[in-house]
Amino acid sequence: MKPAFRRTAPLVAGLFLLGVSASVHAADLRVTFTHVSPAGSVGTSPLWVGFHNSSFDLFDAGSSASLGVERISEDGNSAPLTTLFAATTLSGIQGTLPGPPAFPEAVRSLDFTGLDLAGENRYLSYASMVVLSNDFFIGNDDAREHDLSVLLSNGGTLSFFVGGNGEVWDAGTEVNDFANSLANGAFGIGGGQSTANQGVNEHGFVRLVDSDPYASFLSAHLVPAGYDFAPLQFTSLQAIGRIDIQLLAPVPEPETYAMLLGGLALIGAVSRRRLQGRAA
Ligand SMILES: [Ca+2]
Ligand SMILES: [Ca+2]
Ligand SMILES: [Ca+2]
């Protein structure tokens, strides 16, 4: 081995090992939403999910909803929320699960790549409209509620239920009224929204739906006589859906950290030798 190469080989090897270690932090994962409520129950619009560093707060209970939350809650439209997330979350990653609105037993999924689960994409926020409604939605108020860094040490899966009792919000943006609610036809109720952002502005605050969801709705004459609301009572359910997060790419193994330390040690040894060489 030539002397010059003998000097640089450990440095190259060290940098290579550092590169291997750094690359495995970019994780790929699959998000799956499974509708778990019983037949005849409420539906949900395509689920929006965003991965951020805790800086993105979807909403605050007791405060006005953003335009992004208003549009997904009233129309099931995630586009304004997507714009808001992109504008306020520099290294965020987001997407909306494809497919039509989900009703009981539906399964929807979407893959994401290149997530930094230890930092920039550590926390998950989600949002979806709940129908039948004017502006009901599911979503997390606490930006840090779903910490995905656990995937790096728990084998790579995380599951949680969403949307049952105490888990559905009224965005406070549209008056609850069967004349303008969405998906009436799917439930045999008359009237209903015919264009986006229809209905009367509520000028209210985001609040939990914690009793009969439909007791306060106006235009009750649009509901057939003797209508059975029981299947739509999501406040009697444990959950509307389940979100499963599954790592698709390899996670950093203990050996990888050993390689990282080995790489650092090699670089350190080369640096020391060079310093000693200069001093001599
Ligand atoms: Ca909040
Ligand atoms: Ca409302
Ligand atoms: Ca509105």
Side-chain angles (χ1 to χ4, degrees):
M1 197 184 279
K2 288 179 180 172
F5 182 69
R6 204 180 299 141
R7 278 204 305 277
T8 55
L11 180 61
V12 170
L15 289 172
F16 173 75
L17 292 178
L18 279 175
V20 167
S21 302
S23 65
V24 295
H25 282 289
D28 299 344
L29 54 77
R30 175 169 299 155
V31 176
T32 303
F33 177 83
T34 304
H35 210 297
V36 300
S37 61
S41 187
V42 290
T44 51
S45 69
L47 184 79
W48 171 88
V49 293
F51 306 92
H52 53 87
N53 61 8
S54 84
S55 63
F56 185 77
D57 194 357
L58 184 69
F59 68 95
D60 288 323
S63 296
S64 302
S66 65
L67 178 70
V69 168
E70 176 182 343
R71 289 292 187 268
I72 201 166
S73 302
E74 293 185 6
D75 306 323
N77 175 15
S78 64
L81 182 56
T82 300
T83 302
L84 177 69
F85 185 84
T88 57
T89 314
L90 286 181
S91 301
I93 292 175
Q94 61 174 329
T96 299
L97 275 56
F103 287 91
E105 298 190 357
V107 180
R108 309 272 185 262
S109 68
L110 182 61
D111 292 353
F112 296 86
T113 58
L115 287 94
D116 171 13
L117 296 181
E120 290 303 314
N121 310 118
R122 177 173 173 178
Y123 297 99
L124 171 78
S125 290
Y126 67 92
S128 170
M129 181 182 189
V130 174
V131 293
L132 173 109
S133 81
N134 293 82
D135 58 346
F136 291 170
F137 73 101
I138 54 176
N140 50 316
D141 181 339
D142 181 357
R144 296 175 187 249
E145 182 176 354
H146 301 293
D147 182 352
L148 304 188
S149 68
V150 298
L151 296 170
L152 299 173
S153 58
N154 78 350
T157 59
L158 176 68
S159 296
F160 53 93
F161 289 97
V162 295
N165 185 35
E167 289 268 336
V168 177
W169 306 90
D170 185 317
T173 56
E174 183 176 319
V175 173
N176 297 336
D177 185 339
F178 289 117
N180 301 299
S181 49
L182 189 64
N184 292 25
F187 299 100
I189 292 176
Q193 172 170 308
S194 55
T195 62
N197 196 25
Q198 202 176 30
V200 177
N201 287 335
E202 188 176 341
H203 302 297
F205 302 129
V206 179
R207 62 184 186 279
L208 272 181
V209 181
D210 57 5
S211 55
D212 180 344
Y214 301 99
S216 67
F217 275 52
L218 305 177
S219 305
H221 64 278
L222 295 167
V223 181
Y227 188 84
D228 180 10
F229 274 103
L232 294 175
Q233 302 283 345
F234 51 77
T235 50
S236 67
L237 298 175
Q238 276 197 307
I240 291 174
R242 189 184 70 240
I243 294 176
D244 297 308
I245 318 241
Q246 178 194 355
L247 263 191
L248 300 175
V251 301
E253 301 289 339
E255 307 92 82
T256 310
Y257 289 116
M259 287 170 76
L260 172 64
L261 290 174
L264 285 171
L266 277 170
I267 291 172
V270 170
S271 302
R272 276 196 303 278
R273 210 177 304 160
R274 285 190 173 164
L275 283 172
Q276 283 163 3
R278 267 180 226 155

